[in-house]
Amino acid sequence: MVTQAAARPSIVRSAPMIQIRRLTCGYGAVPVLRDVSLVVPTGQFVGIVGPSGAGKTTLLRVLLGLVPRIQGEITVGGYRVTAAHPPPNIGYVPQLETIDWTFPVTLEDMVVMGRTPKMGPFPWLSRKDRRVVSATLERLGINCLARRQIRGLSGGQQQRAFLARALVGHPSILVLDEPTASSDVKTRDDILSLLMDLHHEGVTIVMTTHELNTIAAQLPWLVCMDSNSSVIAQGPPCEVFTESVLSRMFGTRLQILQDGAVGTPLRPDADFQRFLTIEQAERIGR
Amino acid sequence: MQAFVEPLGYEFFRHALAAATLVGALCGLLGVYVVLRRMSYIGHGLSHSVFGGAVVSHLIGWNFYLGAGLWGFLSALLINAVTHRHKVGADASIGIVTTASFAVGVALISKERSFTRNFEAALFGNILGVTTGDLAVISSVTVVVAAAVFIGYKQLLFTTFDAEIAATYGVPTRWVEAGFSLALAATIVAAMNVVGVTLIAAALVIPPSTARLVTDHFGRLLSLSMLIGAGCGGGGMFLSYWYDLASGATIVLLATGIFGIVFTVTHLRDPLRRSLPFTQL
């Protein structure tokens, strides 16, 4: 399913918003990422794909200053990122299981947290804060759930709540770690549509995803990582989703289903899977 | 009525009542953050650590509150630092730092046996000996900590909810955690005379745990926990006077009794809560 937002032209500027130069980082003595370089232009929408354990989440956390740097340099929005100096004006959507959902706060309380640095010294919301929070909840379609305890939210609602918390501070960069994981089709499409809208508004977006068929194939730019945590290809999906890259990425042979009429990979709005392992392809007689 | 009025005729009881109520409210307030951070053991550990500081400050002739407070604050910072090394969990960090600190106090006491009796008061509380000066310190700590929690409410809430993410959103989490450690150390020092080292953990943990059983709203949790803490402090003082029991122990037993009743009632009434493991509450 392709959203209308995806059909509009994007406004990618040439100036880089994110620059990673020859970065090696990790926890303790063992590096997780080795000698990784990456440039993300301002306003770009980048998807990071790769097998489990490839270091996708670590790459995202690097941008936030959450992973100790061994060597190399990271700049985000012109700021040199270190553990003591996370980049300003960034919205982060972590994986759902990273927090305690039994914590006694409402959805609105959690969303307001994303605005903490911009609020006054008092515990209560100003009129402007209230307006911004309400508009953000409305945009995510969860205004009616504002007073609900977070432990009473479904998985899809929790994803939207995280997104609302990231957006309520009007970030210029959005970093998302599998924002559509375990979502139903409707939630997944709504989230992708919203992200496309934000991309067209000029927000730089970097997200990880495991969903090659339904998410990654629709993104403007992809960064492919293999199990050695190396960036093996980057570019638009039509360029990087080749059998060679996919097979290197996942360490198994993959087949791309072709459109019978024109011989090109199936269109991104195809309802079914376009990338199959050889075993799957044989099973369905392709 | 006479039973309530009679003890109020004594100055020592009025002091003790005010101290127990203030300390109960203060522990109830900070205890919410302690319990939600799953660091209930820190109250127990820091109180023991502060005991070591109290002995050292006595030996070098420092003011008790200053020496013990500083020692407690440094211990809390050390616990945070060790915890952030990832390979050592918070529970182990608390165990290492605080028991070592307590051992310093015990070792020094065994060396200088002359002042053993003074430190029994620190271990088990000496609420009936609360002076006007002690009361002034307890009041000041209560006002300052409550004001700090009010002003830093949003930052403290976000840091308690998820410190790592809060940092990425621009919350100065290291300062927030240092401030919280300072407030906790000050609270424990202020509470030492009231409930004693051995019972401070209960004063920090039982009121918020009781309040958590009846509300899922963070603001109400804070208010209710303070109310329960203050009520148990004041109520415990009257009970200890009427039945001639140790005041610190009576306060803790009253709080435990209320927790038991609330737990039983909510457990029977609310099937949703019954399905949750107790540790999640």
Side-chain angles (χ1 to χ4, degrees):
Chain A
M1 197 180 296
V2 157
T3 61
Q4 285 193 334
R8 282 190 275 146
S10 58
I11 47 168
V12 178
R13 300 183 192 95
S14 55
M17 175 63 88
I18 296 167
Q19 278 188 302
I20 300 176
R21 287 196 208 97
R22 308 205 64 174
L23 177 77
T24 300
C25 65
Y27 307 97
V30 184
V32 179
L33 299 178
R34 286 172 200 270
D35 203 23
V36 170
S37 295
L38 187 69
V39 175
V40 177
T42 302
Q44 184 58 285
F45 188 168
V46 177
I48 301 173
V49 293
S52 298
K56 301 186 296 295
T57 297
T58 304
L59 189 55
L60 288 192
R61 289 167 59 83
V62 156
L63 303 177
L64 304 159
L66 295 175
V67 184
R69 192 168 46 90
I70 297 169
Q71 65 179 49
E73 196 175 83
I74 315 143
T75 54
V76 175
Y79 291 87
R80 195 160 174 267
V81 178
T82 63
H85 299 99
N89 209 20
I90 196 163
Y92 177 43
V93 177
Q95 292 184 20
L96 286 185
E97 60 267 27
T98 56
I99 69 152
D100 173 12
W101 288 99
T102 64
F103 198 91
V105 284
T106 61
L107 184 149
E108 187 184 61
D109 293 334
M110 194 182 84
V111 172
V112 167
M113 289 178 195
R115 210 170 158 74
T116 301
K118 297 191 174 182
M119 288 168 68
F122 300 111
W124 50 83
L125 298 178
S126 68
R127 208 171 287 173
K128 185 187 172 194
D129 293 326
R130 199 164 286 286
R131 211 170 38 241
V132 172
V133 170
S134 177
T136 308
L137 294 179
E138 194 70 54
R139 188 173 191 182
L140 270 297
I142 48 176
N143 216 353
C144 56
L145 304 171
R147 300 297 161 103
R148 187 176 289 185
Q149 293 302 314
I150 58 170
R151 76 170 174 187
L153 301 174
S154 68
Q157 290 163 346
Q158 289 174 346
Q159 295 278 19
R160 288 165 194 255
F162 263 172
L163 251 173
R165 186 179 67 177
L167 294 178
V168 80
H170 298 308
S172 54
I173 310 162
L174 201 52
V175 174
L176 310 100
D177 198 357
E178 303 207 30
T180 56
S182 65
S183 295
D184 59 36
V185 177
K186 168 83 168 62
T187 304
R188 188 184 66 204
D189 190 52
D190 286 349
I191 289 175
L192 185 60
S193 177
L194 173 74
L195 294 176
M196 285 296 185
D197 285 344
L198 291 164
H199 166 53
H200 293 298
E201 288 166 18
V203 177
T204 305
I205 304 173
V206 183
M207 66 179 267
T208 61
T209 181
H210 272 292
E211 298 169 82
L212 297 187
N213 290 287
T214 49
I215 300 290
Q218 300 190 50
L219 303 183
W221 193 268
L222 292 178
V223 171
C224 303
M225 300 178 76
D226 66 7
S227 55
N228 296 321
S229 303
S230 300
V231 174
I232 56 166
Q234 51 181 310
C238 58
E239 287 179 15
V240 298
F241 277 168
T242 63
E243 287 180 3
S244 157
V245 170
L246 289 169
S247 299
R248 273 180 67 198
M249 201 159 52
F250 293 100
T252 184
R253 285 181 62 208
L254 283 136
Q255 183 175 341
I256 299 175
L257 298 189
Q258 307 284 314
D259 185 303
V262 294
T264 56
L266 287 174
R267 285 164 47 80
D269 56 346
D271 289 337
F272 45 86
Q273 230 166 249
R274 291 173 300 135
F275 311 115
L276 301 176
T277 62
I278 295 297
E279 290 77 18
Q280 286 173 320
E282 282 171 355
R283 217 169 26 246
I284 64 169
R286 286 272 177 173
Chain B
M1 195 64 194
Q2 179 60 27
F4 283 98
V5 174
E6 187 203 321
L8 293 174
Y10 303 105
E11 188 183 31
F12 76 87
F13 187 85
R14 288 199 300 273
H15 282 179
L17 184 65
T21 308
L22 284 173
V23 163
L26 185 57
C27 287
L29 175 65
L30 285 191
V32 169
Y33 297 96
V34 167
V35 167
L36 290 177
R37 291 169 67 152
R38 310 274 166 98
M39 290 180 84
S40 301
Y41 185 43
I42 200 169
H44 189 70
L46 269 190
S47 57
H48 283 69
S49 176
V50 162
F51 176 75
V55 178
V56 172
S57 60
H58 178 88
L59 271 180
I60 60 175
W62 275 29
N63 174 278
F64 161 78
Y65 287 112
L66 190 64
L70 190 62
W71 190 284
F73 176 51
L74 293 176
S75 300
L77 289 184
L78 199 56
I79 289 165
N80 279 340
V82 176
T83 305
H84 286 147
R85 294 295 296 172
H86 291 292
K87 282 190 177 176
V88 185
D91 52 349
S93 312
I94 295 166
I96 294 164
V97 174
T98 58
T99 49
S101 187
F102 185 65
V104 169
V106 173
L108 291 174
I109 283 176
S110 67
K111 190 84 176 161
E112 302 282 337
R113 290 185 179 278
S114 59
F115 55 83
T116 302
R117 186 176 291 268
N118 294 336
F119 288 97
E120 278 180 13
L123 279 174
F124 303 109
N126 181 28
I127 196 166
L128 301 183
V130 168
T131 63
T132 313
D134 293 330
L135 205 51
V137 170
I138 292 169
S139 306
S140 306
V141 169
T142 306
V143 170
V144 171
V145 169
V149 169
F150 181 80
I151 292 168
Y153 177 85
K154 297 184 299 291
Q155 288 80 2
L156 190 52
L157 175 61
F158 201 174
T159 305
T160 306
F161 184 61
D162 190 335
E164 192 176 64
I165 303 297
T168 69
Y169 277 83
V171 175
T173 50
R174 283 177 190 269
W175 286 106
V176 172
E177 284 181 349
F180 184 75
S181 298
L182 184 59
L184 196 56
T187 300
I188 285 170
V189 172
M192 263 173 91
N193 270 343
V194 177
V195 285
V197 164
T198 48
L199 299 175
I200 285 175
L204 275 170
V205 172
I206 299 175
S209 299
T210 309
R212 185 72 187 91
L213 291 171
V214 291
T215 182
D216 275 332
H217 187 281
F218 189 76
R220 280 197 284 274
L221 178 63
L222 282 179
S223 319
L224 198 55
S225 178
M226 285 175 72
L227 207 62
I228 292 169
C232 289
M237 281 311 300
F238 278 103
L239 285 175
S240 85
Y241 179 85
W242 294 332
Y243 297 104
D244 194 21
L245 295 167
S247 44
T250 311
I251 290 169
V252 171
L253 287 174
L254 176 61
T256 311
I258 292 172
F259 174 82
I261 292 166
V262 173
F263 180 79
T264 307
V265 170
T266 53
H267 191 69
L268 293 174
R269 276 190 184 169
D270 192 342
L272 177 65
R273 281 179 190 279
R274 215 182 308 168
S275 67
L276 285 171
F278 173 66
T279 49
Q280 288 191 337
L281 298 175

